[in-house]
Amino acid sequence: MDDSLRFVSCGLLECGQVFFLCTKCDHGDRYCSKECRSTARSESLRGARRRHQHSLEGRLDHPDRQAAYRERRR
């Protein structure tokens, strides 16, 4: 039986919690908890939306999105 552990620091910058994973439980985890994973995912999605809005494609999508919004409001 292999008794090695992997030293991991939580991937969420605000957390930085240190934890260890045995080889059996190690599935490439980067976060110490579900809360940190969820927070990191939300930040990632927010950044992706921001980058899209600043791209040419994102600026061209805006009128269509606004028209759909106005249609739903009617």
Side-chain angles (χ1 to χ4, degrees), residues 10 12 29 31-42:
C10 184
L12 185 63
D29 297 320
Y31 305 103
C32 64
S33 66
K34 289 180 182 179
E35 291 80 18
C36 284
R37 183 177 64 219
S38 177
T39 301
R41 177 70 174 153
S42 295

